[in-house]
Amino acid sequence: MAGNGAPATPAAFYKMLSVPDAVELILSETTQLPAEEVPFAAAFQHTLAADVLAAEPVPGFRASIKDGYAVLCTDGPGEYDIAFEAFAGVAPRTLTPGTVAYIGTGGPLPEGADAVVQIEDTEFLGAAAGGPKRVRINKQAAPGEDVRQIGSDMAAGEVVLRAGQHVGAAEVGILATVGATTVKVHRKPHVAVLSTGDEVCEPDAHKLELGQIRDANRAMLLAAAAGTGARATDLGIARDTAANVEAALDRAIAEGADVLLTTGGVSMGDKDFIKPLLERRGTVYFGKVKMKPGKPLTFAKVPVPEQNRSLLVFGLPGNPVSSLVTFHLAVVPCLRKMEGWQEPRLRRLHVRTAMPIKMDPERPEYHRAVAHWARPEGAPEGACCGELVATSTGGQISSRLLSLRSANVLLEIPQASGVLPAGTRVSALIMGDLGSMPVPEAPAPTVLP
């Protein structure tokens, strides 16, 4: 590592870290972003920065769980006059012994009643001319039966959501229920994305000259950053001069980015300007990671004293697959910690491989695959069984972006010689939405044999 004014460190001299060590180092240098107060609906997909308490009991009155009749248990089964009706939103009345009240789901239990008999356990008898409606109660009710008691869902003063909790749709409903119309959440990170290289062209280039390529990385990383909920800023393409790359770094700082993602320029060529710039302007924590793909991954911090903060910089490899794989492995945990996640690391599960996978004797591989639910071969019809099976996306060369198509996991293939046989159980890191995995060949049984 080197600070301001120190000579640049050649890429070959960086100590190579393992992926777990690199992630731990990144997280140790990442701080949570400040809290801000937002309307509760705008808290969706944010992380709470403070506990949320129920200001009042929920429900605030005794409420019926079902449609039926409010009764006094000591009256017992029999035929009764229907004194009145009790519906949600109407103030409760008083029930006298020897009568019942028709009550709807959510309706307030009348004073004097202590249970509800569901309508299925009653028989409506109609009404004689000029007389009240009557009903036969066929079941003996127990006190409190089919009644939500005051505060049974949430007690007054109860912590209903804790700081660090992610706000999904259900949590928005809880905030509305307790009247928490404004809440404190962590600010979402601001991510700037830059491509580098004279060979890189905009995707809408009419014609490519020999040696030119369309810029897939920038569009892909902008989408990936936005997919985490971050605010994403496009810094365009910096041509291969030190001045152009530094100007882009200064623009990221000026625009208030918390994180800068660059692609390309982090290997060992004469035009790889990223590492020397970061060495001169800040601290490079690592410049090589023992992984396939993504070995040249670089992580640095650039101080911004005039704004009393630092800019975190990830130098991602230029190959598209390496770029997105390292984004998931290294950048996503960083962004999660910034926005307040209590456990920002990628989630891991076990899968069984659907085909043989060749291992690499020099580096562990993060093999792109599609996980799906499958029944084991030979499972008896109707048996309640199954497991996650991972199908490789094919050729894993780091320039083949098709290897990421539909991929939802990264198989953690150990560094070793030889081939992992089909059917091997391996760990996998989730990097996509498992809810969009291929549909099983048949629905799972809902009744155990």
Side-chain angles (χ1 to χ4, degrees), residues 135-412:
V135 66
R136 179 180 291 117
I137 303 297
N138 296 323
K139 176 187 174 184
Q140 174 65 53
E145 186 171 349
D146 283 335
V147 176
R148 292 168 62 212
Q149 300 297 334
I150 293 173
S152 58
D153 290 353
M154 304 174 196
E158 179 182 348
V159 177
V160 294
L161 295 171
R162 294 200 175 275
Q165 193 156 3
H166 200 59
V167 179
E171 288 73 23
V172 171
I174 292 170
L175 294 174
T177 297
V178 301
T181 55
T182 59
V183 292
K184 287 185 177 181
V185 297
H186 290 284
R187 177 172 66 79
K188 290 282 189 177
H190 178 187
V191 179
V193 181
L194 172 72
S195 287
T196 66
D198 290 338
E199 77 281 11
V200 181
C201 298
E202 294 290 350
D204 61 358
H206 179 66
K207 181 182 179 182
L208 296 181
E209 300 297 333
L210 184 64
Q212 291 183 323
I213 56 172
R214 288 189 170 87
D215 185 4
N217 287 351
R218 199 168 92 252
M220 181 173 62
L221 292 171
L222 286 166
T228 69
R231 173 188 167 197
T233 293
D234 184 356
L235 295 183
I237 301 169
R239 297 305 171 192
D240 277 335
T241 70
N244 283 335
V245 174
E246 186 159 17
L249 173 65
D250 289 335
R251 182 182 163 197
I253 292 171
E255 296 202 8
D258 303 299
V259 174
L260 170 63
L261 307 181
T262 70
T263 60
V266 291
S267 292
M268 296 173 61
D270 292 339
K271 292 191 175 183
D272 291 332
F273 299 109
I274 299 297
K275 285 190 177 85
L277 171 63
L278 297 176
E279 289 278 8
R280 181 167 55 84
R281 294 282 295 268
T283 301
V284 175
Y285 290 94
F286 60 79
K288 288 192 298 187
V289 179
K290 195 171 188 178
M291 60 183 294
K292 179 183 179 180
K295 177 180 173 182
L297 173 65
T298 299
F299 172 65
K301 181 183 284 188
V302 175
V304 188
E306 64 274 17
Q307 298 177 14
N308 194 30
R309 66 184 188 91
S310 294
L311 171 69
L312 298 184
V313 182
F314 291 87
L316 308 183
N319 274 323
V321 173
S322 302
S323 175
L324 193 56
V325 168
T326 52
F327 174 85
H328 282 286
L329 291 174
V331 182
V332 168
C334 170
L335 299 181
R336 286 177 174 177
K337 182 171 181 182
M338 279 187 165
E339 65 168 293
W341 282 46
Q342 293 179 320
E343 178 41 76
R345 296 163 185 82
L346 297 186
R347 302 308 190 251
R348 181 178 275 106
L349 44 76
H350 284 100
V351 299
R352 203 171 294 281
T353 58
M355 65 266 296
I357 296 176
K358 184 178 180 181
M359 295 180 286
D360 189 312
E362 297 183 357
R363 289 178 287 166
E365 181 178 11
Y366 292 83
H367 192 104
R368 282 75 70 200
V370 180
H372 61 282
W373 188 254
R375 291 165 57 81
E377 281 189 36
E381 186 68 29
C384 186
C385 59
E387 61 184 348
L388 282 172
V389 174
T391 302
S392 172
T393 55
Q396 300 286 302
I397 187 171
S398 61
S399 61
R400 183 177 178 266
L401 196 50
L402 287 175
S403 72
L404 279 164
R405 182 175 57 189
S406 302
N408 54 16
V409 294
L410 294 170
L411 306 183
E412 296 181 294

Side-chain angles (χ1 to χ4, degrees), residues 63-68 85-88 102-108:
S64 177
I65 293 174
K66 298 176 179 176
D67 291 339
E85 296 177 336
F87 291 109
Y102 179 81
I103 191 166
T105 301

